[in-house]
Amino acid sequence: METEKKIQHLSERLTYIRDIFGSTQKESLSLLESKMADVRQQEGHLSPEKRRKLVQDLEDLFVFVENKLETSLTAMDKVRIVRHPQRICLRDILENVYDNYTEIGSMDEHSIDPSMVIARAYISRRRGKKTVNQSIMVIGQEKGHGEEFRNGGSVKPWGNAKALHYMKVAETENIPVHTYVFTPGSYPIEDTPGAAQQIAANLYEMSSLQVPVVAIFSEGGSGGAEAIGLADKRLMLSHGYYSVISPEGAAAIEGRLRTGQRAGQELVEACAMRMHITAQDNLRMGYIDRIVQEPSLGARPHHYDFFRTLRQQVLRATDEVVLGIRGNGLYRTIALKSRERRAKSGIDFEKTYVSWSLSSNAKVRLINKRHAKFRALSRNAAPDSTPLWERMQTRWQEFTAEMVSHIRYHMLHKHQQKLSEIAGEIESEWRLFFERLVNPVRNVIAKVLGSGEQVNADTARQLTELSEWNDTQEQRGGNWAWVSRRAKEDRAVTCPNATVHGCLDIWAPDLFGEFAGVCPNCGHHFPMEHQWYLHNVFDKNSLYEFDAHMEAGNPLSMPGMDEKLAEAKRKTGMKSACMTFEAQINDVKMVVAMLTGAFRGGTVGAAEGEKFIRAAERAKRKRYPFLAYVHGTAGIRIQEGTNGVIQMPRCTMAVRRYIDAGGLYMVTYDTNSYAGPVASFLGCSPYQFGIRSANVGFAGPGVITETTGVQVPPHYHNVYKALERGHIQGIWDRREMRFNLHQALMTMGGRNLYYR
Amino acid sequence: MLDISAVLEKIKASPYKELTITSPHTGVLTLPEGLAPGTQLHGPMGTWKEKPGSLLATLDRERNEKNIHCPEKGEVVWLNTELQGSFVEAGVELVRYRHFLSKEEVLEQILKQALHLYLAPERAKYYFVPAVDIKIKVSGPKAVSVRDGEEIFIMSRMKREAPLRYSGPEGVIYAVYFNHNQNVDTGQALIGVCPPDLITQVEDVVTRVQMEWKERE
């Protein structure tokens, strides 16, 4: 019976190896297959002892071959390992790593989203002779060994919302959060709360979650991973991957394939390798803190030693986070060092107790440390050719701006506010007293002389006559500071709504000149170049660009990418897809970060992310409102791999720091805005507006159909739909953007110059 | 009295409708390659009819190329090839195609002539009054006969209900075109009423169409 079980087990291991290596490693596979066949043939005729010996030999052979194959694993092999149904999943971890757990809000398929599993668990540790149960909120995607209802760990927006809810519960209960990332990516659906908007909300909240967060990555697929991956310590399983896009998706883009077409296996393998998606790559680039070593060919549920290692590692990571922010510096240093020594010598972490509850001061330090950690990431991934003297000048300007702001807003403003409050109180008191004193006299005079109120002639006219547009308002329709080059073409253009609304053909010089690319009949907005906004929205000559030297690079040395970037730079005259500048509207100063669709589709890489962060920091330093004008963005630049995807948490954290400091952050979408940026630093803004030409979403219609099999109706992503879903807060006409933006600044910013 | 069999025979004699596509405005005409009499055409496709039908012609006016697509399934009968590449006025015949009627279209044509359709006066949810409703549920709609001025509907809008009287010729409810709990737009048919003496004929023709009508591609 025992040998039969072992043979069955070995047969499963053989299937696993066959699935992982497929057509490669044929020799090893055929060796194992033939040996397995031999054993099956012989075992019936042998005595129990000989049978045991035979099976033991076979087991040894498996170990030998697995170890041999382990050395030749490619990046794509690891992707196959991670996706395999025999791979460990979150429930295995809950069973084996934690001492006890209660699953929250799910029972198999009966859940708001079975691909997201949440559990309250505890780990027992020794404190002297006492056993202490330390509580943890465990959150992670569940692949469920191929159970169909788990959706492969692809979480729907409401699954991510549930995760966020329980992170906040953990925060209330002051217990650490362990997140386990087992997802190929988020489920691309726009239904409320919306894939992108929910991931953005998760990132925004997690950036300042006041409890230690430890993330363990097995399959880190882009936005889905980021939704729960923003952590103080990020561990990664040695056979996992963490990437901006699946290798197949990258191959489809690289190979310029149409929807439905499949990329060749060679291209997929090459893309997996070039994108540097393995744990070792990510450790080298600094996006994870540590690798958790798995057994040969990846951990499966029978690898009990691995679970022990994982338990030690999550304990160690949580302890490190907590000890790293303890108030007493001396104790912290000593404790951390001794921990590291113990870890190296394999000492059991369970036997040394570290309390995980945090004081209010420690919580502040925890968040500051988290922000500093992410701020430091990917700094070397984007070349900055700013000359030294200019950098020094910038630093000096930053310093002086900081000082001026500090004096004006922190020191003077504080007292000024108090004084004005007192003055206001006194004035109100006096007014009331005066009115009561004077009113009886005033009434007597009014009775004697009759009502003496004279209505001003202008006021009377305003109240009784219809208003007229003045010259400036009339000219706003046709007097633009910049018009598109398309206005010089002598041709007619048909509005796409012509069949529905009966729009007549429009002459291009009229359309792109006077009408600013808006159909005069139905109001359809034709896409417009970003220069139009620069010249027509902001005050004349008020733009001051900064960080212009920072340029988009090729940190992963992707073949052909340098040429593509050079071409984009030549075409647009820009060095990256993000332009950051200071500008004014009716003398109201602001900082703007603009993502331009013309430069590689407005994709965000390390340079764009860094520029965006610096812009947010500048706005914070100068106490200016911060506007993200998204002319267009296709998502994260996949050719930069994790260097790109890490911009999602980095930029969101910069936004969070800015908003927490009292800033007003607004986003305006134009043309098409999709994927990572919307699912992070754009989608987290409380004030998002769309120009009527905009499409906003997580994934385009083609990707949705490909991944979910669901066809989406036309105009699924347009701003009206986005507004109905609650993803944006308003829709603007392009011609009125200047007016609306100013209006928004005045109403949302308040009188204290947009700063609380 | 309407002779339904004659209507059917008439349709059978010419089981298609012929439509002509004319130029919507002036422009230089280009007829696509491969389009010739006998070419099969398709109408808009996709779940939301988002993919346009077969390309019939392209008109270029002021460097603005505009495609003219086929609105339904059919077969090209005639093409104005003489005007290929030349400037055409608005309203010039470009393509004539033949659309073969489907079973549903034939039935629709016959029933349109044979039945009196009572239309929804406004957008609302409609119900039968309880007495009629029970009768329909038990014995089917054909068991209910209606006459002018009879109160047979309840119109429900925004949780306010109002009785509605039928107006039209006396007859039997042949078909019910609305569902419970679903809004019906203004002008949409609610019921089709058939004079009692025509019922057998209508039923007979409907069965014949269902059995015999062969749809042509």
Side-chain angles (χ1 to χ4, degrees):
Chain A
M1 202 57 195
E2 193 192 331
T3 49
E4 269 173 34
K5 266 190 185 170
K6 278 190 176 175
I7 291 173
Q8 179 59 33
H9 176 63
L10 289 173
S11 146
E12 280 171 16
R13 277 165 77 172
L14 181 62
T15 315
Y16 180 78
I17 295 168
R18 201 182 293 129
D19 291 346
I20 303 304
F21 294 99
S23 54
T24 58
Q25 308 292 351
K26 278 180 186 164
E27 271 181 33
S28 306
L29 263 168
S30 54
L31 172 71
L32 290 177
E33 277 165 359
S34 65
K35 287 283 176 194
M36 176 68 91
D38 284 351
V39 171
R40 279 193 192 283
Q41 207 175 18
Q42 288 176 32
E43 57 131 4
H45 317 290
L46 298 174
S47 64
E49 203 164 307
K50 279 188 178 171
R51 204 186 301 160
R52 261 199 299 279
K53 172 82 173 61
L54 195 68
V55 172
Q56 186 57 50
D57 288 348
L58 185 62
E59 217 170 355
D60 292 345
L61 180 68
F62 263 82
V63 172
F64 173 76
V65 173
E66 282 177 351
N67 287 340
K68 196 188 99 187
L69 290 175
E70 170 73 16
T71 56
S72 62
L73 279 178
T74 64
M76 196 57 208
D77 290 335
K78 289 189 175 176
V79 173
R80 280 190 284 268
I81 285 176
V82 161
R83 290 176 183 170
H84 200 277
Q86 284 188 37
R87 170 99 174 145
I88 51 153
C89 63
L90 181 54
R91 282 160 64 93
D92 299 322
I93 291 171
L94 282 168
E95 288 284 349
N96 296 293
V97 170
Y98 298 92
D99 291 307
N100 205 347
Y101 72 95
T102 302
E103 216 175 304
I104 295 168
S106 58
M107 198 173 78
D108 298 328
E109 69 267 46
H110 307 289
S111 167
I112 191 163
D113 186 357
S115 44
M116 177 61 78
V117 163
I118 292 160
R120 269 296 301 266
Y122 68 72
I123 287 184
S124 303
R125 298 173 85 177
R126 306 284 297 171
R127 188 169 64 188
K129 285 181 182 173
K130 262 176 104 179
T131 302
V132 181
N133 294 333
Q134 287 192 295
S135 292
I136 303 132
M137 186 69 79
V138 180
I139 295 171
Q141 292 98 358
E142 173 61 63
K143 291 173 84 79
H145 296 301
E147 286 168 327
E148 207 173 314
F149 60 86
R150 303 280 186 190
N151 221 357
S154 191
V155 179
K156 292 180 177 150
W158 33 95
N160 282 328
K162 179 176 145 189
L164 179 60
H165 177 201
Y166 280 94
M167 283 178 205
K168 302 295 276 180
V169 171
E171 191 177 43
T172 312
E173 295 177 350
N174 202 6
I175 58 170
V177 178
H178 288 175
T179 64
Y180 288 88
V181 183
F182 281 84
T183 183
S186 198
Y187 194 81
I189 191 166
E190 295 299 333
D191 295 357
T192 308
Q197 305 286 329
Q198 187 56 49
I199 295 171
N202 281 30
L203 281 169
Y204 186 80
E205 293 296 334
M206 286 183 84
S207 68
S208 291
L209 202 68
Q210 295 183 331
V211 286
V213 184
V214 175
I216 298 95
F217 285 70
S218 169
E219 183 177 20
S222 191
E226 296 307 329
I228 57 166
L230 198 163
D232 301 298
K233 282 278 174 201
R234 289 159 50 111
L235 312 182
M236 191 161 171
L237 306 188
S238 61
H239 289 62
Y241 81 86
Y242 176 28
S243 172
V244 64
I245 192 171
S246 68
E248 290 87 348
I253 292 171
E254 284 292 298
R256 293 178 179 276
L257 301 179
R258 285 181 167 194
T259 311
Q261 287 181 314
R262 297 266 164 228
Q265 195 53 36
E266 271 180 28
L267 184 59
V268 175
E269 294 265 357
C271 281
M273 194 189 68
R274 286 178 203 154
M275 285 202 303
H276 295 79
I277 61 178
T278 63
Q280 294 71 24
D281 293 326
N282 279 298
L283 182 68
R284 200 179 54 251
M285 292 190 285
Y287 301 133
I288 56 161
D289 297 299
R290 199 175 299 137
I291 294 175
V292 181
Q293 192 56 45
E294 293 180 58
S296 293
L297 304 189
R300 279 151 280 165
H302 61 270
H303 288 126
Y304 297 109
D305 283 347
F306 167 73
F307 290 118
R308 208 168 303 129
T309 312
L310 183 59
R311 181 183 165 102
Q312 295 284 314
Q313 289 290 353
V314 292
L315 277 177
R316 179 185 170 190
T318 319
D319 286 354
E320 276 176 356
V321 174
V322 174
L323 291 173
I325 45 151
R326 278 274 158 82
N328 188 325
L330 185 65
Y331 166 70
R332 183 181 59 191
T333 320
I334 295 166
L336 263 178
K337 282 191 175 171
S338 70
R339 298 256 125 180
E340 274 170 23
R341 275 201 302 275
R342 278 179 203 168
K344 278 175 194 162
S345 59
I347 287 174
D348 195 350
F349 277 85
E350 286 167 48
K351 288 178 183 161
T352 317
Y353 173 75
V354 175
S355 166
W356 288 340
S357 69
L358 298 179
S359 67
S360 52
N361 284 342
K363 283 175 184 173
V364 174
R365 279 194 295 277
L366 174 77
I367 291 163
N368 288 343
K369 202 171 176 187
R370 191 182 297 154
H371 279 260
K373 174 192 170 85
F374 277 85
R375 181 69 186 90
L377 295 177
S378 85
R379 276 203 160 158
N380 300 324
D384 185 359
S385 57
T386 315
L388 183 66
W389 65 269
E390 214 170 290
R391 279 190 211 191
M392 285 169 66
Q393 199 182 4
T394 312
R395 293 288 166 274
W396 172 247
Q397 281 171 352
E398 282 175 5
F399 175 72
T400 48
E402 184 75 55
M403 291 309 291
V404 168
S405 294
H406 187 75
I407 293 167
R408 186 192 286 172
Y409 295 100
H410 193 72
M411 291 167 69
L412 293 179
H413 185 70
K414 211 184 335 179
H415 299 297
Q416 190 187 355
Q417 210 169 357
K418 270 185 190 164
L419 283 174
S420 70
E421 271 172 24
I422 294 166
E425 290 289 317
I426 293 170
E427 194 194 341
S428 305
E429 287 287 321
W430 166 247
R431 271 186 192 282
L432 192 66
F433 175 72
F434 185 75
E435 288 291 314
R436 290 210 168 160
L437 201 72
V438 170
N439 263 358
V441 183
R442 202 182 274 163
N443 290 343
V444 171
I445 294 170
K447 269 183 189 170
V448 174
L449 300 174
S451 176
E453 274 183 43
Q454 292 292 319
V455 179
N456 181 309
D458 270 355
T459 318
R461 194 163 47 77
Q462 277 175 17
L463 289 170
T464 52
E465 290 176 15
L466 290 173
S467 60
E468 284 176 6
W469 277 36
N470 60 30
D471 286 351
T472 329
Q473 281 168 324
E474 272 177 3
Q475 279 173 6
R476 202 170 63 197
N479 193 9
W480 305 110
W482 189 93
V483 289
S484 167
R485 256 188 237 161
R486 288 173 290 172
K488 288 178 183 159
E489 291 178 47
D490 178 17
R491 58 186 290 247
V493 180
T494 305
C495 174
N497 296 332
T499 47
V500 185
H501 298 300
C503 312
L504 299 175
D505 281 4
I506 320 154
W507 192 40
D510 280 346
L511 176 64
F512 295 109
E514 186 186 348
F515 303 150
V518 178
C519 172
N521 184 47
C522 71
H524 170 78
H525 278 46
F526 289 80
M528 184 58 86
E529 293 88 345
H530 68 270
Q531 288 91 338
W532 190 95
Y533 296 88
L534 293 183
H535 290 88
N536 291 310
V537 172
F538 305 106
D539 290 351
K540 200 178 173 187
N541 299 327
S542 72
L543 264 64
Y544 165 69
E545 191 181 354
F546 55 88
D547 288 328
H549 291 287
M550 180 148 268
E551 53 186 307
N554 184 11
L556 299 184
S557 307
M558 282 285 222
M561 190 58 195
D562 289 321
E563 292 76 26
K564 285 176 188 168
L565 283 173
E567 177 63 14
K569 286 171 191 172
R570 192 189 59 75
K571 257 188 182 172
T572 58
M574 298 169 75
K575 288 189 171 174
S576 74
C578 183
M579 178 181 167
T580 49
F581 52 92
E582 282 182 22
Q584 291 183 18
I585 289 186
N586 293 341
D587 297 329
V588 175
K589 290 174 184 167
M590 67 175 79
V591 173
V592 184
M594 177 178 76
L595 288 175
T596 317
F599 191 100
R600 304 284 313 149
T603 47
V604 173
E608 286 79 7
E610 183 64 29
K611 284 183 86 171
F612 187 91
I613 293 169
R614 287 189 190 180
E617 286 171 349
R618 192 183 188 97
K620 179 171 167 248
R621 202 178 300 119
K622 292 197 160 187
R623 266 69 167 178
Y624 287 173
F626 180 35
L627 170 73
Y629 165 62
V630 191
H631 175 255
T633 178
I636 300 295
R637 190 169 300 140
I638 61 142
Q639 291 86 352
E640 293 197 17
T642 335
N643 294 297
V645 85
I646 205 71
Q647 305 310 322
M648 289 174 68
R650 287 185 81 227
C651 296
T652 312
M653 292 170 102
V655 165
R656 177 81 198 229
R657 287 196 292 276
Y658 171 72
I659 293 176
D660 282 353
L664 169 67
Y665 173 54
M666 285 167 53
V667 174
T668 311
Y669 297 106
D670 191 10
T671 67
N672 301 316
S673 305
Y674 288 110
V678 182
S680 54
F681 56 93
L682 301 175
C684 69
S685 167
Y687 306 115
Q688 301 170 60
F689 297 93
I691 303 294
R692 282 176 64 171
S693 47
N695 289 306
V696 185
F698 185 60
V703 177
I704 294 178
T705 309
E706 190 121 312
T707 41
T708 65
V710 176
Q711 277 201 322
V712 295
H715 314 302
Y716 182 66
H717 291 107
N718 76 13
V719 271
Y720 292 95
K721 295 278 189 313
L723 187 63
E724 283 165 20
R725 294 178 189 121
H727 295 174
I728 61 169
Q729 282 67 48
I731 299 171
W732 292 349
D733 189 301
R734 173 183 296 141
R735 295 162 297 183
E736 289 170 356
M737 179 164 165
R738 179 183 161 86
F739 171 78
N740 285 332
L741 193 55
H742 183 252
Q743 160 96 349
L745 288 169
M746 298 313 288
T747 50
M748 291 163 199
R751 55 196 292 240
N752 297 327
L753 264 183
Y754 329 112
Y755 230 82
R756 289 198 296 272
Chain B
M1 200 177 96
L2 183 72
D3 185 355
I4 294 178
S5 301
V7 172
L8 181 62
E9 288 311 314
K10 198 179 160 193
I11 296 171
K12 268 188 175 174
S14 56
Y16 52 80
K17 58 178 180 180
E18 222 168 65
L19 289 118
T20 308
I21 300 289
T22 56
S23 53
H25 55 65
T26 56
V28 177
L29 174 73
T30 312
L31 296 166
E33 277 180 33
L35 198 70
T39 308
Q40 296 296 319
L41 304 168
H42 65 82
M45 294 193 300
T47 321
W48 297 274
K49 304 284 177 208
E50 73 278 13
K51 291 171 195 159
S54 307
L55 181 65
L56 296 178
T58 306
L59 271 184
D60 187 337
R61 183 175 66 171
E62 291 177 355
R63 297 176 57 215
N64 180 27
E65 285 195 351
K66 202 180 283 180
N67 292 332
I68 300 167
H69 297 276
C70 189
E72 57 195 336
K73 207 163 91 171
E75 185 185 303
V76 178
V77 176
W78 170 83
L79 274 173
N80 199 343
T81 44
E82 285 172 16
L83 293 177
Q84 170 75 297
S86 59
F87 183 83
V88 295
E89 297 285 345
V92 173
E93 291 190 357
L94 305 177
V95 182
R96 197 178 308 133
Y97 72 91
R98 197 169 271 182
H99 170 72
F100 291 95
L101 299 171
S102 65
K103 259 182 209 172
E104 289 73 28
E105 284 165 335
V106 172
L107 286 176
E108 197 187 316
Q109 275 197 22
I110 293 171
L111 293 179
K112 211 181 267 178
Q113 293 181 46
L115 304 183
H116 167 76
L117 299 179
Y118 181 72
L119 309 178
E122 55 185 288
R123 183 179 160 79
K125 286 175 184 168
Y126 289 87
Y127 306 94
F128 286 111
V129 293
V132 175
D133 195 39
I134 290 169
K135 241 183 186 179
I136 288 175
K137 276 178 186 158
V138 173
S139 324
K142 282 167 203 158
V144 183
S145 48
V146 290
R147 61 177 191 284
D148 194 31
E150 191 180 341
E151 192 180 302
I152 57 164
F153 295 110
I154 297 167
M155 181 170 71
S156 167
R157 206 176 64 164
M158 299 295 287
K159 296 192 173 178
R160 281 171 295 170
E161 297 190 338
L164 186 66
R165 292 175 190 280
Y166 166 76
S167 64
E170 192 178 334
V172 174
I173 299 179
Y174 184 83
V176 178
Y177 297 111
F178 66 95
N179 292 318
H180 286 237
N181 291 323
Q182 273 184 4
N183 274 306
V184 181
D185 281 327
T186 314
Q188 254 189 324
L190 288 175
I191 52 168
V193 177
C194 181
D197 48 339
L198 265 182
I199 284 190
T200 359
Q201 262 198 72
V202 171
E203 277 177 349
D204 181 42
V205 169
V206 169
T207 325
R208 273 171 63 191
V209 170
Q210 296 282 14
M211 302 279 287
E212 296 168 15
W213 192 264
K214 281 177 189 165
E215 283 187 23
R216 280 188 56 180
E217 283 302 314

